[in-house]
């Protein structure tokens, strides 16, 4: 399995706070995303 660095991006959490991937550098992170088209 080839792992590469996660690109930096920012999203709002369910409370409206901005969360940046930069806050999780060096930590194992699971990002679960979905869309309804």
């Amino acid at each position: 399995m080839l792992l590469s660095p996660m690109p930096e991006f920012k999203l709002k959490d369910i409370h409206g706070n901005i969360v940046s991937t930069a806050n999780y550098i060096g930590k194992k992170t699971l990002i679960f995303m979905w869309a309804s088209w």
Side-chain angles (χ1 to χ4, degrees):
M1 173 189 286
L2 177 63
L3 299 176
S4 59
M6 179 172 45
E8 185 177 347
F9 60 91
K10 297 177 183 179
L11 298 170
K12 288 185 180 180
D13 66 11
I14 61 172
H15 302 289
N17 301 315
I18 301 293
V19 178
S20 173
T21 56
N23 297 339
Y24 299 96
I25 292 174
K27 298 178 183 177
K28 294 179 182 178
T29 308
L30 172 67
I31 297 177
F32 182 73
M33 300 172 87
W34 74 92
S36 60
W37 304 96

